[in-house]
Amino acid sequence: MDGAEETLRRDLANKQAAVDAQAVAVRDLKTGGAPKPDIEAAVEALKVLKIETESIAGKLQAVIAGTSSGSREAFRQAVVNTLERRLFYIPSFRIYGGVAGLYDYGPPGTDVKMNVLAFWRQHFVIEENMLAVDCPCVTPEVVLKASGHVDKFTDLMVKDEKTGTCYRADHLLKDFCKEKLEKDLTLSAEKASEMKHVLAVLDDLSAEELGAKLKEYGITSPDTKNPLSEPYPFNLMFQTSIGPSGLSPGYMRPETAQGIFVNFKDLYYYNGNKLPFAAAQIGQAFRNEISPRQGLLRVREFTLAEIEHFVDPDDKCHPKYGDVANLEFLMFPREEQLAGKQANKLCLGEAVSKGTVNNQTLAYFIGRVYLFLTHLGIDKERLRFRQHLPNEMAHYAADCWDAEIECSYGWIECVGIADRSAYDLRAHTEKSGIPLIAHEKFSEPREVEKLVITPVKKELGLTFKGKQKMVVEALEAMNEVEAMEMKAALESKGEVEFQVCTLGKSVTITKSMVSISKEKKKEYQRVFTPSVIEPSFGIGRIIYCLFEHCFYTRASKDGDEQLNVFQFPPLVAPIKCSVFPLVQNHEYEQVAKQISKSLAAIGISHKIDITGTSIGKRYARTDELGVPFAITVDSTTSVTIRERDSKDQIRVSIDEVASVVKEVTDGQSTWGDVKWRYPTHSSTSIVESI
Ligand code: AMP
């Protein structure tokens, strides 16, 4: 807990105890018939103590308010109002009352999303030579059974025991702790510290631990205050059936990754049977969230952009690791989280050499994700990479980090970057029977000693009849230690008891039923299941955080109004440029239309506005959409270009204007670069006041 907050909570508890003791003293003096001056002195002391208590309570309130959600909520409201009013997004099916967790992107939102996805393609697929794929959303059950989603893709849910309303168990605990910490000034320093710890390890709690905490804190149904059930798992996948018979169960995919894994064999071949390589996919994912909330952050259908980078498990070096090793940014290793510390700026290369990040390839992607997000306009001071806590990470994973972005809702996981080892390919190999493996050809053949187990099927068949297959499989599945122990036992005693799991009992194996030996063999290649490193991007979450990081307000010229601005970098801006004639006049309109044509011809999205509204109002409208440049036609030979944030203007000839805008929106030049090449235009002729 923050030191100041802890001290104030302790001081407040001590002062309150002193007030209570003094109140008792006053009462005793009064009932004991003490002299008047003594009573008056005691009452005065009580008053002073009460004033001091109030003063400490006020200070504590101020410290909490500095970190509380009140001001953040007001900021969020301003952002969300602008986003909804300008149709960045719209609650889906609104005319029918809407559906929780489903949103449409409106015109500017769709453009922002397209721009983010185009940059993702450029930054990852093109610059890293990835193989793009596009797989169906409807997925047969067998695929998601193999991946573990049918059995384990769950969140812990609790039900109102009387009304049956469902809640996410961890959300109730989180909300309770946050509210207590923000509003309950009587909370002891110890309890406050405990609740902060609960918040830090929330993702790590088991069903039993969550249930115990809900009980301990007396948490009830938020809407009715009825008791809650124990937490139990709820599968988040939307089930469907494929075809009319109803016999072929399927699910809407909860992630795009499985489409890549099941195609591994063909993709590996396409890549010339060489590792490493990465496949990438952008597509819709579906999760039947228990309680969707926080607008675009937790929805039931969303766009995922995923990369599966396949790599040799014995060599996770990355050839371009050097490009990112010197980057420094906020990292939050698990030890720091468990110790209740804050994220710290670390050098990525040092984090790898100290073993904090498991391997170079994982670190390479962490670095590339950092560059991707900051280039989009995410504030690097509000971006951190948090390592998964031990229970949060799947048992097979080697290491996982989430890129978390801070917004008015707190720190939000926007990208998961996980080294999933060989789990996925092994799981699909086992279920499909198709080996999803890679080969490393040796330049020189290598001599190796190999264990050879040869079940004698004729003998086994005579003894075990219909169960022979299971005994054979169990014998062949023995590892080296088990096999050598059996060999020794068979040689000394002639028979041995052998547990066959699939039969659920042990059987007697005799010497004639199996031969076990070690043979020297020449190997020409190594066969292995590749590991996979998976960066998985929740595009909607990134976009929402970007909206918040880019939003600010500034006073109108006459200071009587606050104007909203989205300072999107040109790369992200939904519309790159607006074109306005300064006044309504046929000649200027013709020039504006001619400029609009040249902009369209070179692919610059723009908005032409020939209404007679004041120029200041027109600027304000486009600032609210985050349009970075505005061309104002105030002559038939040259025009002005105004930059949104500085409001600086330059004068450019009509023939050049489209190419200048292209230069600054494509990122070939910055506004600072072009500003020096053209005369500055004083804004006195173009009045921005509205
Ligand atoms: P996961 O497979 O759970 O690690 O999710 C991958 C990414 O998808 C996360 O990092 C989030 O950015 C995003 N995501 C997960 N669930 C949701 C949701 N319900 N709504 C929006 N984005 C989500």
Side-chain angles (χ1 to χ4, degrees):
M1 182 173 25
D2 170 45
E5 184 188 334
E6 186 173 354
T7 313
L8 286 167
R9 281 195 191 276
R10 282 191 203 290
D11 289 353
L12 186 63
N14 292 340
K15 253 324 153 212
Q16 191 55 51
V19 167
D20 295 344
Q22 188 63 20
V24 171
V26 170
R27 218 175 309 128
D28 288 350
L29 287 173
K30 282 184 179 166
T31 51
K36 203 169 168 215
D38 290 359
I39 296 179
E40 279 173 1
V43 169
E44 200 47 44
L46 179 59
K47 271 190 196 154
V48 171
L49 281 171
K50 278 188 177 165
I51 292 170
E52 286 171 357
T53 310
E54 272 167 25
S55 153
I56 299 174
K59 283 185 195 151
L60 178 58
Q61 194 111 54
V63 168
I64 298 172
T67 55
S68 86
S69 52
S71 52
R72 285 193 249 129
E73 263 163 31
F75 171 77
R76 182 194 311 144
Q77 215 43 61
V79 180
V80 166
N81 285 347
T82 314
L83 291 172
E84 291 195 355
R85 191 164 37 76
R86 301 311 305 268
L87 290 194
F88 278 87
Y89 69 86
I90 309 162
S92 302
F93 316 112
R94 185 153 61 181
I95 62 165
Y96 291 102
V99 179
L102 296 180
Y103 288 93
D104 302 335
Y105 283 95
T110 303
D111 287 336
V112 169
K113 181 174 169 186
M114 290 301 159
N115 294 339
V116 169
L117 290 175
F119 180 56
W120 189 87
R121 241 186 88 74
Q122 168 64 33
H123 187 80
F124 291 107
V125 181
I126 295 176
E127 288 181 26
E128 305 288 344
N129 276 310
M130 293 177 177
L131 311 182
V133 295
D134 187 7
C135 311
C137 297
V138 177
T139 309
E141 184 176 53
V142 65
V143 173
L144 295 159
K145 184 88 188 148
S147 66
H149 285 87
V150 172
D151 297 320
K152 296 212 184 83
F153 195 64
T154 54
D155 272 340
L156 291 169
M157 180 161 91
V158 284
K159 261 194 183 159
D160 180 317
E161 284 196 337
K162 293 206 177 119
T163 64
T165 311
C166 302
Y167 303 96
R168 232 179 99 163
D170 59 339
H171 285 176
L172 292 189
L173 183 58
K174 185 177 183 177
D175 293 348
F176 177 84
C177 292
K178 278 190 151 179
E179 170 132 354
K180 276 271 176 206
L181 286 165
E182 283 177 13
K183 304 210 172 122
D184 186 354
L185 298 184
T186 63
L187 199 65
S188 71
E190 289 71 26
K191 243 329 182 232
S193 173
E194 176 193 306
M195 286 187 177
K196 286 198 174 172
H197 181 70
V198 168
L199 289 175
V201 298
L202 200 65
D203 291 335
D204 214 27
L205 299 181
S206 64
E208 292 69 31
E209 288 166 330
L210 258 179
K213 276 282 164 222
L214 291 174
K215 275 221 170 69
E216 182 188 332
Y217 293 156
I219 298 173
T220 52
S221 168
D223 301 310
T224 61
K225 306 291 168 237
N226 289 331
L228 292 167
S229 69
E230 287 295 327
Y232 63 97
F234 167 75
N235 195 300
L236 297 182
M237 288 195 295
F238 285 98
Q239 196 165 17
T240 183
S241 87
I242 305 172
S245 70
L247 298 175
S248 177
Y251 295 90
M252 302 305 289
R253 65 181 176 192
E255 57 174 32
T256 67
Q258 301 307 321
I260 298 179
F261 296 137
V262 298
N263 280 315
F264 172 80
K265 193 165 180 261
D266 292 331
L267 293 170
Y268 180 56
Y269 178 72
Y270 182 86
N271 200 51
N273 291 336
K274 284 200 182 72
L275 281 185
F277 76 91
Q281 172 163 213
I282 296 170
Q284 293 303 88
F286 305 82
R287 299 184 186 182
N288 199 2
E289 294 287 344
I290 297 168
S291 45
R293 53 188 206 168
Q294 305 178 326
L296 295 181
L297 294 182
R298 186 166 300 284
V299 290
R300 288 178 164 143
E301 178 178 345
F302 54 96
T303 303
L304 267 180
E306 293 193 292
I307 296 165
E308 308 301 329
H309 179 94
F310 298 102
V311 62
D312 183 339
D314 293 344
D315 179 12
K316 291 184 182 172
C317 296
H318 195 286
K320 293 205 279 178
Y321 170 66
D323 295 357
V324 298
N326 291 329
L327 289 175
E328 261 189 39
F329 44 77
L330 287 175
M331 296 188 84
F332 203 9
R334 66 171 71 97
E335 288 71 29
E336 314 288 306
Q337 296 168 54
L338 292 171
K341 294 190 182 155
Q342 305 280 318
N344 251 321
K345 276 212 171 126
L346 295 180
C347 166
L348 188 56
E350 276 174 33
V352 174
S353 43
K354 286 187 185 148
T356 312
V357 175
N358 184 277
N359 59 72
Q360 279 192 9
T361 300
L362 185 64
Y364 180 70
F365 280 105
I366 291 175
R368 290 290 290 168
V369 169
Y370 170 81
L371 294 174
F372 171 72
L373 293 172
T374 48
H375 203 76
L376 280 181
I378 293 295
D379 176 357
K380 60 182 189 310
E381 300 303 324
R382 285 190 285 164
L383 166 64
R384 72 180 184 193
F385 288 81
R386 186 183 70 81
Q387 190 172 31
H388 277 206
L389 294 170
N391 286 345
E392 194 182 347
M393 198 162 79
H395 65 275
Y396 47 78
D399 194 10
C400 299
W401 292 76
D402 286 341
E404 295 186 330
I405 305 177
E406 193 186 29
C407 69
S408 62
Y409 292 103
W411 288 97
I412 302 297
E413 174 205 335
C414 290
V415 187
I417 310 148
D419 181 337
R420 300 175 53 85
S421 68
Y423 174 81
D424 306 278
L425 293 183
R426 285 219 179 103
H428 286 300
T429 298
E430 213 168 278
K431 192 83 177 173
S432 67
I434 306 293
L436 303 178
I437 47 173
H439 310 260
E440 183 202 357
K441 292 224 156 53
F442 299 140
S443 44
E444 294 283 314
R446 293 180 192 172
E447 195 159 272
V448 288
E449 213 178 38
K450 280 247 152 190
L451 173 72
V452 182
I453 301 171
T454 319
V456 183
K457 291 192 179 152
K458 199 172 151 205
E459 281 288 319
L460 290 163
L462 284 173
T463 311
F464 298 111
K465 309 222 161 48
K467 299 189 178 98
Q468 178 219 22
K469 188 168 170 272
M470 290 178 214
V471 180
V472 168
E473 280 171 0
L475 286 169
E476 285 173 341
M478 282 189 292
N479 65 30
E480 190 165 334
V481 176
E482 291 162 345
M484 295 324 282
E485 277 174 11
M486 178 179 274
K487 182 178 165 69
L490 289 176
E491 273 163 14
S492 61
K493 295 185 232 148
E495 63 177 46
V496 68
E497 282 305 291
F498 177 59
Q499 179 71 25
V500 181
C501 293
T502 44
L503 289 179
K505 61 174 186 175
S506 47
V507 296
T508 307
I509 300 291
T510 61
K511 211 171 168 185
S512 57
M513 290 179 185
V514 62
S515 106
I516 299 171
S517 59
K518 275 196 177 171
E519 288 174 13
K520 284 207 166 33
K521 273 192 165 181
K522 275 202 169 155
E523 273 195 348
Y524 297 87
Q525 63 173 4
R526 181 168 76 93
V527 178
F528 59 93
T529 306
S531 279
V532 64
I533 289 168
E534 178 193 80
S536 170
F537 300 70
I539 297 300
R541 288 193 179 177
I542 296 172
I543 290 175
Y544 179 77
C545 293
L546 192 60
F547 287 151
E548 280 205 6
H549 287 202
C550 289
F551 184 82
Y552 71 98
T553 55
R554 61 182 173 205
S556 60
K557 187 111 189 237
D558 45 18
D560 58 354
E561 212 183 328
Q562 282 297 310
L563 305 175
N564 303 316
V565 187
F566 279 111
Q567 53 176 336
F568 296 130
L571 173 79
V572 169
I575 299 164
K576 310 297 179 202
C577 170
S578 49
V579 188
F580 311 134
L582 179 62
V583 287
Q584 266 182 321
N585 142 339
H586 181 69
E587 272 186 319
Y588 289 0
E589 269 181 40
Q590 289 313 308
V591 174
K593 283 181 184 163
Q594 185 196 326
I595 293 172
S596 162
K597 239 179 165 177
S598 350
L599 289 168
I602 52 173
I604 301 286
S605 60
H606 63 282
K607 194 176 163 79
I608 175 164
D609 183 348
I610 50 175
T611 61
T613 326
S614 81
I615 201 77
K617 265 203 181 116
R618 282 185 274 179
Y619 282 153
R621 269 193 217 148
T622 56
D623 287 349
E624 222 178 31
L625 288 175
V627 182
F629 302 104
I631 299 170
T632 304
V633 182
D634 58 352
S635 97
T636 50
T637 50
S638 69
V639 293
T640 66
I641 306 179
R642 172 225 194 222
E643 194 272 335
R644 177 195 59 214
D645 299 301
S646 61
K647 298 198 218 157
D648 288 343
Q649 296 181 33
I650 53 173
R651 181 159 288 284
V652 181
S653 77
I654 287 170
D655 299 337
E656 275 181 286
V657 67
S659 63
V660 172
V661 171
K662 185 167 170 62
E663 212 179 310
V664 280
T665 51
D666 275 3
Q668 299 154 29
S669 304
T670 65
W671 174 252
D673 298 334
V674 296
K675 228 176 85 176
W676 301 117
R677 298 210 315 253
Y678 297 92
T680 309
H681 177 81
S682 134
S683 64
T684 44
S685 59
I686 297 175
V687 182
E688 289 203 19
S689 66
I690 56 171

